[in-house]
Amino acid sequence: MSALRVAVTGSGGQVGSRVVALLRGLSVPVEIFAVGRARLDVTARDEVHEFVSALRPDWIINCAAYTAVDRAETEPERAYAANAMAVRWLVEAAERSGSRVCHFSTDYVFDGSLGRPYREWDRTNPLGVYGASKLAGEMELRTGLDLCLRSAWVMSASAGNIAATVGRLALSRTEMRFVDDQFGSPTSADDLAAATIRLILSSCSGRFHVVNAGAASWLEVARHLAACVGADPDLVKPAATAEMRERFPAPRPVYSVLEPAALAAGGFEPLRDWHEALAESAAQALEAGAWS
Ligand SMILES: NC(=O)c1ccc[n+]([C@@H]2O[C@H](COP(=O)([O-])OP(=O)(O)OC[C@H]3O[C@@H](n4cnc5c(N)ncnc54)[C@H](OP(=O)(O)O)[C@@H]3O)[C@@H](O)[C@H]2O)c1
């Protein structure tokens, strides 16, 4: 059996680093070409073409993205370059090299007004620049070939994500405030990476919602994480989105819970409950001292 050739862009990011780690641990033969921003700037068309045509990978897992939701409001050109045009360059290069693209998108493509969890086929209507640029990226993908995995509220044991911020503050017994009026699907980067690899190994295409089971407000997520590191959950105080607008100016959907309807219809195992997944991330972080 010849090795599956997989290129991973944005490999230094939260999801990219987990995807690469899990690919390295696979028992099937895989050749991995992992590149961070320093090796491949996905917004540079020539670099993308050169990289893809030299390697001719079976799959390009695009973990590179502009993810600064609030900053995107004042930097739309940068958001669209990384989240939309870069996908065009990757798909264009993939088309010429016989490669397929696996791309990530977000719950922020929805406006949050539906009143029930969003399925893959529900109408999109992003409220902010980040969501709009991610939706533009989705539109570049090829039906029947590429994969579009929409996830949400992704967290991991590594530093530099919301779970790490909560963990650090909770461990130092510092009070913090989280909104109790935005609801979503908290998701572990490890579980997202594992599901990504399952879908690739099954040669799937199309759009999937890939999130841990269950829904929560940010307040519930932060209180759960505080409890997981052995701190008092009441260190986390409730706040309203309106009160936090100065710190978080980008508009966000109030209810963007994702239903993994395509995974269920395709006979794939649903991801486990978010409480268990984030408890595992917290335990890993405690063991590694990553949130201290
Ligand atoms: N995090 C979430 O809550 C969440 C939720 C839903 C969907 N997603 C999606 O999941 C995917 C992965 O997100 P993540 O959480 O892993 O984000 P992340 O930690 O911010 O990682 C993104 C990576 O992309 C790199 N990058 C940015 N611009 C680049 C460019 N022009 N060329 C090459 N690399 C570039 C970044 O490098 P620098 O660090 O140097 O900028 C970073 O390593 C993204 O598509 C994101 O939209 C994330």
Side-chain angles (χ1 to χ4, degrees):
M1 180 175 157
S2 64
L4 189 73
R5 295 166 63 79
V6 183
V8 182
T9 62
S11 63
Q14 180 177 217
V15 174
S17 55
R18 298 318 303 151
V19 164
V20 172
L22 295 191
L23 282 172
R24 289 201 173 119
L26 282 181
S27 53
V28 295
V30 191
E31 277 184 77
I32 308 158
F33 310 96
V35 282
R37 187 210 279 267
R39 288 263 312 281
L40 176 67
D41 176 353
V42 291
T43 66
R45 184 176 182 227
D46 291 351
E47 278 186 40
V48 169
H49 275 269
E50 213 171 289
F51 174 77
V52 175
S53 66
L55 295 174
R56 305 181 79 83
D58 297 303
W59 282 95
I60 304 162
I61 306 182
N62 179 32
C63 302
Y66 179 103
T67 55
V69 175
D70 294 297
R71 210 171 345 120
E73 295 299 310
T74 53
E75 295 185 342
E77 297 80 11
R78 287 188 60 194
Y80 274 86
N83 294 341
M85 292 308 287
V87 186
R88 182 173 302 183
W89 309 147
L90 287 164
V91 169
E92 201 177 75
E95 175 72 21
R96 290 170 201 184
S97 290
S99 311
R100 298 170 68 180
V101 176
C102 170
H103 180 65
F104 295 96
S105 190
T106 170
D107 55 328
Y108 285 9
V109 297
F110 296 115
D111 64 16
S113 67
L114 190 63
R116 61 150 172 83
Y118 284 93
R119 301 185 189 118
E120 286 81 350
W121 308 277
D122 284 322
R123 196 177 70 87
T124 52
N125 183 31
L127 299 175
V129 171
Y130 168 73
S133 68
K134 294 296 295 182
L135 181 61
E138 289 189 8
M139 291 171 185
E140 300 294 339
L141 298 167
R142 299 163 296 174
T143 305
L145 274 179
D146 298 325
L147 255 178
C148 176
L149 309 184
R150 284 197 192 127
S151 196
W153 298 24
V154 181
M155 286 166 257
S156 65
S158 64
N161 67 92
I162 292 184
T165 304
V166 174
R168 184 172 41 78
L169 293 172
L171 286 168
S172 62
R173 306 287 181 260
T174 308
E175 280 192 4
M176 60 199 107
R177 293 167 76 216
F178 274 83
V179 298
D180 61 0
D181 56 0
Q182 283 174 37
F183 297 86
S185 302
T187 300
S188 132
D190 276 305
D191 289 6
L192 171 59
T196 300
I197 292 167
R198 272 201 301 281
L199 289 167
I200 282 179
L201 293 178
S202 304
S203 195
C204 283
S205 63
R207 187 183 301 132
F208 289 85
H209 287 176
V210 184
V211 287
N212 280 119
S217 70
W218 279 113
L219 178 74
E220 289 171 280
V221 171
R223 285 191 166 161
H224 177 62
L225 285 164
C228 289
V229 299
D232 180 0
D234 287 336
L235 280 169
V236 190
K237 307 292 180 201
T241 295
E243 294 170 60
M244 307 289 265
R245 191 127 295 140
E246 218 165 290
R247 260 184 81 197
F248 303 107
R252 288 165 164 82
V254 292
Y255 186 91
S256 56
V257 176
L258 299 181
E259 179 182 335
L263 281 183
F268 291 96
E269 181 97 351
L271 274 62
R272 62 188 159 162
D273 185 85
W274 69 267
H275 293 86
E276 187 189 337
L278 295 195
E280 190 176 283
S281 300
Q284 285 166 358
L286 284 180
E287 199 179 312
W291 292 352
S292 305

